[in-house]
């Protein structure tokens, strides 16, 4: 029968090689093979040694992968923080302007996950009065257009006609009523929705027909891309010291609260 030492699992052989690497730094191939063979025999003949060697090898591999992954995440956070446009007077903001935390959200009116996320953030705001200012920016995904893009323009036209209050009221209603997916809210209902919140329908139509809000929507989209946004909803939660947490997807309010608590500390 072939010797069992010729049929060691890859993990065991890797563990053996790691164990003798220090001894095998110098010398010819034959000497190295001999050292490896001796280590294999020692492990096979020592109770529990092989299992322990395999476990060490796997643990070391996991630790290295975890460290590499954390390093990659840290580098992505630095890129996002460096490229994220600061909040300015152009932004639509809900909450206390002097709040210690800022949540910058990039969202798409026709994204089903954004529809789910919108009331979650609203609840987070209610649970943390005065602690968060919520900034909304447009990121209409191509496969949800023209619906998502036109709705973003409509929200901007609502803001032009009625200010920040009208923007948030209009935004809340679209998310409440759209069925999502690109065609979830009939575009012929954009004007009636504006009139429902007390805006002038003719002025709203003039704004939509002029196309002057396209630049604003495009700028938000480009800002999001520069900050590393590729899907929606995407959020950046920051404190005054510049510490940041990136939010990808419609996280539950409990997970968001943990991030809020971390950054407030």
């Amino acid at each position: 029968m072939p010797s069992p030492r010729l049929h060691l699992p890859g993990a065991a052989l890797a563990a053996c090689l790691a164990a003798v690497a220090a001894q095998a730094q110098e010398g010819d191939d034959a000497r190295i093979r001999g050292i490896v063979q001796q280590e294999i025999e020692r492990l096979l003949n020592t109770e529990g040694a092989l299992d322990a060697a395999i476990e060490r090898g796997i643990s070391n591999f996991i630790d290295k992968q975890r460290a590499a992954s954390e390093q990659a995440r840290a580098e992505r956070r630095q890129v996002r923080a460096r490229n994220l446009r600061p909040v300015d007077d152009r932004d639509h903001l809900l909450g206390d302007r002097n709040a210690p935390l800022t949540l910058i959200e990039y969202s798409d009116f026709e994204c089903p996950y954004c529809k789910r996320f919108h009331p979650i953030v609203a609840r987070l705001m209610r649970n943390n009065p005065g602690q968060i200012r919520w900034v909304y920016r447009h990121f209409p995904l191509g496969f949800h257009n023209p619906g998502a893009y036109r709705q973003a323009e409509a929200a901007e036209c609502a803001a032009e006609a009625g200010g920040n209050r009208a923007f948030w009221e209009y935004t809340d209603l679209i998310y409440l009523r759209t069925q999502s997916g690109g065609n979830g809210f009939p575009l012929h209902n954009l004007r009636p929705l504006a009139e429902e919140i007390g805006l002038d329908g003719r002025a709203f139509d003039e704004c939509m027909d002029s196309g002057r809000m396209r630049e604003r929507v495009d700028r938000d989209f480009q800002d999001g891309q520069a900050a590393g946004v590729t899907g929606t909803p995407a959020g950046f939660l920051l404190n005054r010291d510049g510490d940041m947490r990136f939010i990808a997807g419609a996280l539950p309010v409990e997970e968001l609260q943990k991030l809020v608590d971390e950054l407030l500390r």
Side-chain angles (χ1 to χ4, degrees):
M1 285 182 63
S3 169
R5 66 192 179 200
L6 299 178
H7 296 277
L8 280 176
L13 183 57
C16 296
L17 293 172
V20 303
Q23 304 176 53
Q25 288 178 356
E26 297 180 358
D28 56 23
D29 290 347
R31 178 171 175 242
I32 293 173
R33 285 196 298 272
I35 294 172
V36 171
Q37 189 67 46
Q38 290 174 12
E39 181 64 16
I40 290 173
E41 290 177 354
R42 183 186 70 79
L43 292 173
L44 288 172
N45 294 324
T46 304
E47 184 177 356
L50 182 59
D51 289 343
I54 293 173
E55 185 175 346
R56 284 196 304 272
I58 293 174
S59 295
N60 290 338
F61 175 78
I62 292 173
D63 289 343
K64 289 179 181 179
Q65 292 297 106
R66 185 181 291 119
S69 178
E70 179 55 38
Q71 178 65 25
R73 283 197 296 270
E75 291 173 357
R76 287 196 296 270
R77 283 197 298 268
Q78 291 174 356
V79 170
R80 285 168 174 151
R82 185 167 60 247
N83 295 332
L84 182 63
R85 176 171 67 80
V87 177
D88 57 33
D89 291 339
R90 294 172 293 173
D91 281 308
H92 302 294
L93 189 149
L94 191 66
D96 186 345
R97 285 190 169 273
N98 298 314
L101 300 184
T102 300
L103 173 59
I104 301 175
E105 178 192 358
Y106 285 88
S107 204
D108 171 335
F109 282 114
E110 284 294 295
C111 165
Y113 302 103
C114 299
K115 176 179 172 68
R116 183 187 307 169
F117 192 57
H118 195 73
I120 290 175
V121 179
R123 181 181 169 191
L124 184 73
M125 296 284 289
R126 292 193 300 271
N127 291 348
N128 299 273
Q131 299 299 302
I132 307 169
R133 57 178 187 167
W134 182 7
V135 175
Y136 187 100
R137 292 177 183 171
H138 303 290
F139 203 83
L141 299 169
F143 53 84
H144 287 157
N145 291 330
Y149 194 96
R150 291 295 282 169
Q151 290 164 35
E153 288 183 280
E156 292 302 325
C157 286
E160 180 182 80
N164 192 60
R165 174 200 61 80
F167 173 84
W168 286 98
E169 286 186 14
Y170 199 86
T171 294
D172 290 345
L173 284 176
I174 288 183
Y175 278 123
L176 181 64
R177 296 181 185 176
T178 183
Q179 298 301 307
S180 303
N183 298 299
F185 188 87
L187 296 184
H188 63 263
N189 285 342
L190 292 174
R191 172 176 171 167
L193 191 66
E195 293 174 328
E196 183 178 333
I197 64 172
L199 302 179
D200 184 304
R202 287 177 298 178
F204 178 86
D205 275 349
E206 186 278 325
C207 176
M208 291 292 290
D209 293 341
S210 73
R212 60 177 172 267
M213 293 305 170
R214 293 172 191 162
E215 181 183 355
R216 167 60 187 264
V217 175
D218 289 342
R219 185 173 65 241
D220 275 3
F221 189 87
Q222 291 159 9
D223 288 342
Q225 286 184 314
V229 175
T230 57
T232 55
F236 299 83
L237 186 65
L238 309 91
N239 64 17
R240 288 171 178 160
D241 294 329
D243 293 335
M244 186 187 78
R245 301 292 184 273
F246 180 65
I247 300 167
L251 297 185
V253 71
E254 294 80 10
E255 291 191 33
L256 294 176
Q257 186 64 54
K258 291 178 183 177
L259 299 180
V260 167
D261 294 341
E262 281 181 22
L263 290 173
L264 285 176
R265 285 196 296 267

